[in-house]
Amino acid sequence: MAYVRTARILKTIKEGKDNELLVMSALTASYGGVAEKSSTKDDKYKHIDIWWTTQKGTKIGIDAKNHTNKPNQDFHWVEAQNVTGGKGSIYGEADYIAFNANDKIICVKTKDLVDTYETQVLGKEIVTSKPNGMYIPYTRSKYDCIYDPTKKTNDIIFKMPDNDMLKFKDTIVIPLEVEN
């Protein structure tokens, strides 16, 4: 009989919800409008955590990614294929993916991340050891899936520097006040 790592899953869910609240608060404080949590269906099937209605009335879907455990890192992992082998967050229906970079939130158009994956990552050999370099497709397939320990993880992710995310024309940056 397989066991489920309940404590780890619950911790991940709590951190994700806390991050979503942070992104919603930062968006509305910096740019106005109204932000609300998406439905469970939109979250699961569309990769949309937040619906943000701007002051002009435009409705924008956002997938909020949690911050790294190491605040000094200047890159984020980008998901092309999820842990169950389905479409990753960049192929979801969110307009933006919001990366918590500890001192700021970097909101990148999903299309820019897809273009980056398809031009700089796709077609390269997928590695199973965590790469040091950027834009190298990595799978954690040798590990048990967090949601089902009877299966292996089936994801494809790659590291992308924050500085490259900041270069896209439509990237939104929300500074965060960091306590020392």
Side-chain angles (χ1 to χ4, degrees):
M1 172 185 253
Y3 67 94
V4 177
R5 296 168 280 198
T6 307
R8 181 174 173 204
I9 292 170
L10 292 174
K11 180 179 183 262
T12 301
I13 290 169
K14 181 183 181 334
E15 288 172 352
K17 287 181 180 182
D18 289 349
N19 189 59
E20 290 168 3
L21 290 172
L22 173 66
V23 171
M24 291 185 334
S25 297
L27 270 171
T28 56
S30 296
Y31 294 97
V34 176
E36 59 190 3
K37 175 70 180 120
S38 68
S39 68
T40 302
K41 185 177 177 181
D42 284 350
D43 189 352
K44 184 174 182 178
Y45 297 107
K46 295 181 178 181
H47 294 278
I48 297 173
D49 295 317
I50 299 164
W51 286 107
W52 175 42
T53 305
T54 67
Q55 288 182 314
K56 294 181 180 180
T58 305
K59 194 170 185 178
I60 296 173
I62 298 173
D63 187 6
K65 297 299 176 188
N66 210 357
H67 64 79
T68 176
N69 291 328
K70 298 178 181 175
N72 60 341
Q73 289 181 335
D74 57 356
F75 68 87
H76 281 84
W77 288 100
V78 179
E79 179 189 72
Q81 184 171 296
N82 69 23
V83 295
T84 61
K87 67 181 181 177
S89 56
I90 64 171
Y91 290 107
E93 295 180 35
D95 300 292
Y96 283 87
I97 298 180
F99 297 92
N100 183 335
N102 296 300
D103 64 340
K104 63 187 159 290
I105 296 170
I106 305 170
C107 301
V108 182
K109 277 221 162 197
T110 308
K111 181 189 179 319
D112 291 331
L113 296 170
V114 169
D115 290 346
T116 299
Y117 174 69
E118 292 180 353
T119 61
Q120 295 187 48
V121 180
L122 188 63
K124 291 182 179 177
E125 182 179 348
I126 300 170
V127 300
T128 57
S129 295
K130 193 180 289 186
N132 290 326
M134 304 291 161
Y135 303 109
I136 299 169
Y138 167 55
T139 182
R140 297 171 286 186
S141 61
K142 60 185 175 184
Y143 300 106
D144 292 340
C145 181
I146 187 173
Y147 303 110
D148 183 352
T150 65
K151 296 180 181 175
K152 296 294 183 191
T153 294
N154 197 18
D155 61 355
I156 298 174
I157 58 179
F158 65 95
K159 291 192 293 191
M160 183 172 182
D162 291 354
N163 285 338
D164 287 358
M165 292 179 176
L166 296 170
K167 292 177 185 175
F168 294 120
K169 179 183 135 207
D170 294 319
T171 293
I172 299 168
V173 179
I174 307 166
L176 297 175
E177 195 173 300
V178 180
E179 294 178 13
N180 291 327

